[in-house]
């Protein structure tokens, strides 16, 4: 995550992450994709779109490189981000249903061995994101969500595209992969490479943390899309604020080691500290958790719910509060555009 310095109202990159909706169909909404997407803007970056490049990236990510990867938050040291957008009008509530993980012994074994002891599909669909930038390896968290193309991973915007630094430098990341159900170095279903990365223009051009959401579309692995391999969480937009939510991620700063899936849960609350449109949660996750999913209407017994935010930033004087962007119509437009890609 990124740290918001109270008084300066700036978000500064640091070397560690401080971090009954009715299911609807996944079809695109023409009103959202035409009007809202044009206003918000979706920016796309092609990644590993041929077999040779996919093999090269998979081979690049050795266990040693994964263990040594830093949290994404220091990709641009001294970076300054802002919350500069006016509040969005509240749009129509829309949800896409989750897809349970395959019922197999392998899934149950992975789910029962990680820090999130509730098991279920969330232990399968949440994973670690790895990528390179500025000659270094970096790490975040992410989640598979239900989509028409069945290959979507949602994470933080600063996990696909860098925060603008004081010199105006930024850009999409390279060698991007997703490892679902990562646990203590194990990759139980392998490593998925990204075919494209996506973020809203309000993130890529302004580093506006109200829109700190990124999407990675993954290549198939062994002939199967990621959602068909591990299941997928639902996703929902324009839900009521101040609800009870769960958050997940792979924090790596003390007392965590980045090797296990960690969860927080609390009633979320508005940002009365810096005035962003983001929501806060009582949570003390540390480096590596950026991009991990927040769930609305989470069924802890099954590990299924609706992704409704991601781990994004914190304030220096409130280290036990996590903040995540509100999933309104602009972020819905990002989803609708990319699920059709």
């Amino acid at each position: 995550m990124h740290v918001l310095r109270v008084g300066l109202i700036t978000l500064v990159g640091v070397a560690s992450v401080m971090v009954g909706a009715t299911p609807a169909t996944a079809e695109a909404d023409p009103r959202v994709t035409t009007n809202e997407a044009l206003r918000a803007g979706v920016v796309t970056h092609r990644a590993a779109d041929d077999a040779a490049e996919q093999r090269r990236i998979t081979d690049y990510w050795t266990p040693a490189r994964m263990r040594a990867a830093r949290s994404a938050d220091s990709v641009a040291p001294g970076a300054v981000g802002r919350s500069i957008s006016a509040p969005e009008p509240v749009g129509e509530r829309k949800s896409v249903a989750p897809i349970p993980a395959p019922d197999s012994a392998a899934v149950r074994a992975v789910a029962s061995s990680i820090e999130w002891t509730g098991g279920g599909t969330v232990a399968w669909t949440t994973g670690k994101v790895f990528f390179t930038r500025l000659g270094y390896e970096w790490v975040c968290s992410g989640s598979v969500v239900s989509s028409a193309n069945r290959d979507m991973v949602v994470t933080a915007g600063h996990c696909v595209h860098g925060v603008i630094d004081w010199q105006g430098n930024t850009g999409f990341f390279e060698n991007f992969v997703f490892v679902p159900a990562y646990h203590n170095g194990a990759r139980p279903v392998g490593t998925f490479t990204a075919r494209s990365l996506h973020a809203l223009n309000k993130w890529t051009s302004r580093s506006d943390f109200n829109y700190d959401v990124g999407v990675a579309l993954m290549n198939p692995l062994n002939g199967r899309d990621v959602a068909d391999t591990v299941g997928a969480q639902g996703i929902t937009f324009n839900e009521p604020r101040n609800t009870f939510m769960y958050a997940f991620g792979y924090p790596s700063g003390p007392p965590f080691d980045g090797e296990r899936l960690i969860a927080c849960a609390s009633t979320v609350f508005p940002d009365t500290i810096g005035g962003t449109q983001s929501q806060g949660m009582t949570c003390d996750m540390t480096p590596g958790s950026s991009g991990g999913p927040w769930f609305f209407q989470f069924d802890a017994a099954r590990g299924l719910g609706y992704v409704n935010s991601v781990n994004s930033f914190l304030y220096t004087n409130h280290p036990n509060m996590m903040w995540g962007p509100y999933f309104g119509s602009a972020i819905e437009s990002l989803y609708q555009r990319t699920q059709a890609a």
Side-chain angles (χ1 to χ4, degrees):
M1 287 180 113
H2 291 263
V3 177
L4 183 61
R5 298 188 183 277
V6 177
L8 295 177
I9 315 301
T10 59
L11 287 138
V12 182
V14 294
S16 297
V17 179
M18 305 290 289
V19 264
T22 301
T25 65
E27 295 177 357
D29 173 1
R31 176 185 60 81
V32 171
T33 57
T34 300
N35 299 331
E36 185 63 31
L38 287 175
R39 182 166 68 83
V42 176
V43 184
T44 297
H45 171 73
R46 292 179 60 187
D49 54 3
D50 65 67
E53 182 69 354
Q54 293 166 35
R55 286 193 299 271
R56 184 194 67 76
I57 292 174
T58 300
D59 291 343
Y60 177 87
W61 285 107
T62 62
R65 284 189 168 125
M66 286 188 173
R67 285 193 301 271
R70 313 174 184 192
S71 77
D73 309 275
S74 56
V75 169
V80 176
R82 296 171 292 170
S83 172
I84 56 180
S85 298
E88 286 185 30
V90 177
E92 181 182 351
R93 293 171 64 185
K94 294 180 183 175
S95 301
V96 179
I99 304 170
D103 184 15
S104 69
V107 173
R108 288 194 294 272
V110 171
S112 64
S113 65
I114 60 180
E115 188 73 15
W116 161 246
T117 58
T121 298
V122 69
W124 204 235
T125 56
T126 313
K128 296 187 77 168
V129 163
F130 297 92
F131 53 89
T132 62
R133 178 71 170 168
L134 304 176
Y136 295 98
E137 289 82 32
W138 308 93
V139 63
C140 278
S141 302
S143 176
V144 183
V145 299
S146 184
S147 61
N149 48 27
R150 305 184 75 80
D151 60 9
M152 184 183 294
V153 169
V154 169
T155 185
H158 69 264
C159 297
V160 300
H161 186 283
V163 177
I164 300 172
D165 69 14
W166 64 277
Q167 294 179 314
N169 298 318
T170 187
F172 280 98
F173 302 140
E174 304 296 336
N175 298 311
F176 190 104
V177 299
F178 174 67
V179 182
Y182 180 97
H183 173 64
N184 200 26
R187 313 183 212 182
V189 295
T191 303
F192 288 81
T193 60
R195 61 182 175 90
S196 59
L197 305 177
H198 309 260
L200 289 168
N201 181 61
K202 288 181 179 180
W203 173 256
T204 62
S205 66
R206 308 182 203 176
S207 296
D208 185 337
F209 278 72
N210 290 321
Y211 302 96
D212 184 19
V213 180
V215 167
L217 300 182
M218 314 311 296
N219 290 300
L221 181 64
N222 300 322
R224 301 183 70 193
D225 289 325
V226 65
D228 296 323
T229 304
V230 300
Q233 296 295 335
I235 190 167
T236 190
F237 308 94
N238 295 306
E239 293 292 349
R241 292 175 179 264
N242 307 316
T243 60
F244 190 86
M245 298 179 73
Y246 284 74
F248 291 82
Y250 285 87
S252 56
F256 309 106
D257 61 6
E259 296 299 307
R260 297 167 181 81
L261 183 62
I262 305 299
C264 293
S266 83
T267 298
V268 300
F269 39 83
D271 183 3
T272 59
I273 303 170
T276 72
Q277 298 304 305
S278 296
Q279 300 183 102
M281 172 186 291
T282 302
C283 184
D284 61 355
M285 282 198 238
T286 60
S289 62
S290 283
W294 290 26
F295 288 101
F296 175 77
Q297 293 191 339
F298 183 69
D299 181 345
R302 301 175 64 206
L304 284 171
Y306 295 84
V307 174
N308 196 224
S309 189
V310 295
N311 298 326
S312 176
F313 70 91
L314 62 71
Y315 292 97
T316 54
N317 58 342
H318 294 278
N320 293 325
M321 292 182 184
M322 180 94 66
W323 300 87
Y326 177 75
F327 274 27
S329 296
I331 293 172
E332 182 188 357
S333 75
L334 172 63
Y335 170 80
Q336 298 286 9
R337 289 278 293 274
T338 54
Q339 77 155 342

